[in-house]
Structures are given as C-alpha cells and as structure tokens.
Amino acid sequence: MKPQAPVSDGKSVSPPLSPPSSPRRLSRSYSRRLYRTKSSGSYLSASLVAFLLRRHGRFFFLLPLFYVSGLLMCLGTISVMRIRPLPGSLYRSGDVFRKLWPEMQSDGSNSSVLKLTTVWKNSRRLEGKKTCGNVKLHSGAPAKTAFLIVEANGGLNQQRSSICNAVAVAGLLNATLVIPLFQFHTVWQDPSVFGDIYDVDHFIRVLQDHVRVVRKLPQFLMEKFDHNASNIPNFRVKAWSPASYYTDAVYHVLKKHGVVRIVPFANRLALEVPPTMQYLRCLANYEALKFSVPIAAMSEQLVTRMVEKSSSTGGKYVSVHLRFEEDMVAFSCCEYDGGKEEKREMELVRERGWRGKFNRKGRTIRPDLNRISGRCPLTPLEVGMMLRGMGFTNNTPIYLASGKIYHEERNLIPLKQMFPLLQTKESLATPEELDSFKGYSSRLAALDYTVCLKSEVFVTTQGGNFPQFLMGHRRYLYHGHAKTIKPDKRKLVFLLQNTSISWTRFKDQMGKMLMESDLKGMAWRQNRQSIYEFPLPECDCVRGLGNSSRSQRHSRGAHRFGRVETAR
C-alpha cells in the first residue's frame, strides 16, 4: 500500500513513484513484455502510471493541489460553524419585545387572561405528616460556663441561615450562644449589627427554654483572653460539616477553654442533622427571628399601602424579586445590549468588588454559555414579558423588590409599559420615611422581604438566599404550598432569542411554565434539601406555639449530643 503524501505548511509533497524508478518514456517492446508477465497486479500498476504520465500528466500534478484546497475549504466551514452563536446565547429580548408589543397590547382585552385570584390550582394543604411534634428534648439546663461565638457573613438571609445554624449548634453542644456578630462585606457595605435587624429581647425570650442566649461574653472570660477576641480559640470549619464534627472536634475545646469562636460561619452546618437540631433551626427561623421595631413598623405600612393600591384585585398583588443590580450583573459575567460601554463598566465593577477574582490565570469568561445555562439575571423587560405571557394583564399590581437597578432609567421603561401599576418601596414611602434605612442594604432588604412574604404570588428571577428563604417561609405559611413562580431560564432565553416567534406560541410556552411552578410549589422536604427552602414537615410543629405551650410540650434544655426521644 502506497504511503499518503505528507502535508506540511499547507503544501503537498509528492513521494517518488515506484515502479518505475525513472520517468523515461516506456518502449513498445517493454510494454509487450509487461503484458506477458504472470503478475496482473504489476501490469495494471505500470499501465496506470504510464497512462497518467502519457495522457493526464497535468491532472496528476494538480491532484494534490485540489486535495489541499478542498481541505482548506472544509476547515473554513468548520471555523464558521464554531463561531455561530448557540441557540439562546445572545440577548435579543429587546428585539422580540418590540416585535410582539402590538399583540401584547391588543391581548389585554382578551377574555382568556389570567385572574390573579385563580392563579393556583393546587392550593390544598399538606397536612398529617409531622416529625418533630412528639420530639422530647433531654432535660438539663443550658450551660452557663460554655459559650459559642459566631460571625455571620453575607447579606440579610445568608446571615439569617448562620443565626439559625448557630442556635442548632449551641443546642447540640449545650453551650450558651452569644448574640451573633455580623461581618462587614465590601459588596453589601452594611455596618448593621444584630439588634438593628432583629428584636434581641424577643430572640432571647423565645429560645430560653432550649438555648441560653446572652448579649455579650462575660467579663471574666474577656479578662482571661486579655479583652481580645482574636485570642479565643477559633475553628475554621469546613462548609456543610456534619453534627459529628462539632461533637468530636469542637466540644472538647469548648469544655477546656469555656468558649470557642467559629469565623466565618456561613453554611458551616450540614443539611441533614439530628431532629433536635432541625427543630431548633425551625424555632429560630419562624419564631425567634423577628424584625426590629423600626423595620417591622415600616414594613407593615408598605404592605398596607400596597394592599390599598390593589383594590381592583381584592387587595392581592404580585411581588417580584429582581436581581439586576450592578454588582449582580457584573458577578454573573453575562452580556446584554450595552455593547462595549457595558463591558467596560462591568470589568471595573468586578475589579472593584472582587479584586482580580475574575482575571485569574486559566479562568475564561463565557457570557454565551452562562446565558444558555440559566445563570444570567433576568432583565426587567424579560420578567415583564414572562408575566404577560403567563396571562397577567396590565392592571395587575406588581411590587418590585430590588436594590438599585443597573441603568434603572433605561431598563425599567419596558416593565412599566407592561405593568403601569408597578410599585417599589421608594414609590410607596416618602423619602423622609426611608431616610433611616438608606445606606443599609440589609435593612432595606428586610422591608422587601416582608412585602414579598405577604403577596399573593412571589416571582423569583435569580437564585440566592433571599428567594430560598422566602419560598420556604411561604411554604410554611401556606402549609406546604409556595405560591411562587420560578422560571425555567434555560427555556426562556431560548424563546427570547427567537425573533420570529409568535405571541401565541410564546404564551403557550409561558402557560406551561406557570403550570410547572404551580406543581413544584407543593413539596415535602426530601433528603439533601435545605430546611430553609423546604420547611415541612419538620417545622410544622413550631407553628403558632407561644412560650407557655412550648414549655409544656418540651422539657427545658438540650442534650449536648442532640439525641432525641420519641414520646410514646
């Protein structure tokens, strides 16, 4: 078998032909001798070579050039195919909106539009499955000589999960919990302390039957460590550590020194823990954590005003958690329709907030892949199109929970076109009423949290602790059914890139998405799911319990190893 001609730098190199070894003209007598040979294969080969040399020499020498040219053409086609945008990878939602807007306007008078009071078909309660209602904690008062200090980091609801986990760990170790500290973060830039966000007295009182809580470390321990908290033994706990880590590693140091620190303390406790610890998580989240008086008073005013502005729908309204702030857009590494200016702005924000994290060696930013995988925050325009496609009309009251929206003056225009009754905390309250909250992101988020909690429907547009806690809290309030719209963003971006899509087809797909959200809204917690997002059945036993009834149903204190007894 002849070797193929090697290719180097795009040029073909022809090997020497054999036989014959020389390109001299073949004589007739030699041809006749070849004809008489017994090897027909040799004769055919020689004849073919002679024929090509005699009649088609030019073709023979041009053949490698044709081969190379064809190869280059194929490679060019492959290159073009590689740079072709993947379906759903480009932001074309503005083009789709402008095309469909006339139909959206005329569809507002259609008799088949969705009524807010009939959004949810599967609104029955999940009842009859309680797992902690019969749990009886071991007796024994919480220790007064062993103290746990934690520092919660992150935003409002990441701090909330840290507080609930700290209560559970303190109960497990039979330790006294010092009111958690909040770490200052360069992104949120909120210097608030625990008492600015939550009612400290209420927190201590509700937990007193199970976990002792104090405002600060006793003086004798401060003196022991030279009034320097950094001298206190600190544990760098791995994320999602099991309860056994605390009983095996932390407890012995706590017993020896009388106090331990865990810094930072976010997501440092596993999802699956003993029932006693789950109970303490529930008790802290739904009973002990109550917003401070200023936040609670302002929140109730916002809810009252939102209900008054929703008279056409019987006081019911839709709340939307929109994560389209500048830092969120930058962190997502997604691209929209702002061109080079937007890209430059986002690079500056990323460098200012995360100091080279996104420029590390080997890290590649792929906005197109982020979009088709559903990681990009939805724009106000996309949220509005989704809700209109689901059947919410332009007279639907909308409460928008958000920080400072990226290019708000431009990006909010289409959402207000689709929903003129849109409200925010800034539109419901006077500037004077919000003065004491400005500059404190967690306090402002607490206002949004309460108004969203009381809404008929909650729409989440991006993952995170805020929607996770709200979905869980709403499941708790609605006995297992979260009236929440959680869009399939991978499907949505694909539809919103199709500039030829019809309004009828888009509505049909949004109707199916709403139905899926309705079905997924009702759920018991499964293994490896967060109790903050899926609180039932474990948390159902703390519903509406006062201090007196809790004292009657549960004996005081918590056993340090978290073992439980089931009352028979």
Side-chain angles (χ1 to χ4, degrees), residues 157 160-161 164 203 207 279-290 449 469 472-473 531-533 535 539:
N157 289 284
R160 191 182 185 107
S161 68
C164 297
F203 184 74
L207 293 173
Y279 172 79
L280 290 175
R281 277 172 159 173
C282 298
L283 185 62
N285 193 24
Y286 300 116
E287 293 286 336
L289 284 178
K290 177 183 176 183
Y449 186 95
F469 268 79
H473 207 150
I531 199 168
Y532 304 121
E533 185 175 357
C539 295

Side-chain angles (χ1 to χ4, degrees), residues 447-479:
L447 298 179
D448 282 337
Y449 186 95
T450 304
V451 184
C452 290
L453 186 65
K454 302 294 181 67
S455 65
E456 177 70 10
V457 178
F458 171 63
V459 182
T460 172
T461 64
Q462 187 73 2
N465 290 288
F466 188 98
Q468 182 189 66
F469 268 79
L470 259 172
M471 285 189 287
H473 207 150
R474 292 169 64 82
R475 281 190 172 99
Y476 176 78
L477 292 178
Y478 289 100
H479 298 270

Side-chain angles (χ1 to χ4, degrees), residues 415-435:
L415 181 60
K416 290 181 177 179
Q417 276 183 270
M418 289 180 273
F419 295 98
L421 300 183
L422 183 138
Q423 302 288 341
T424 64
K425 53 184 172 291
E426 289 80 11
S427 66
L428 291 173
T430 66
E432 293 75 20
E433 288 175 321
L434 292 178
D435 272 346

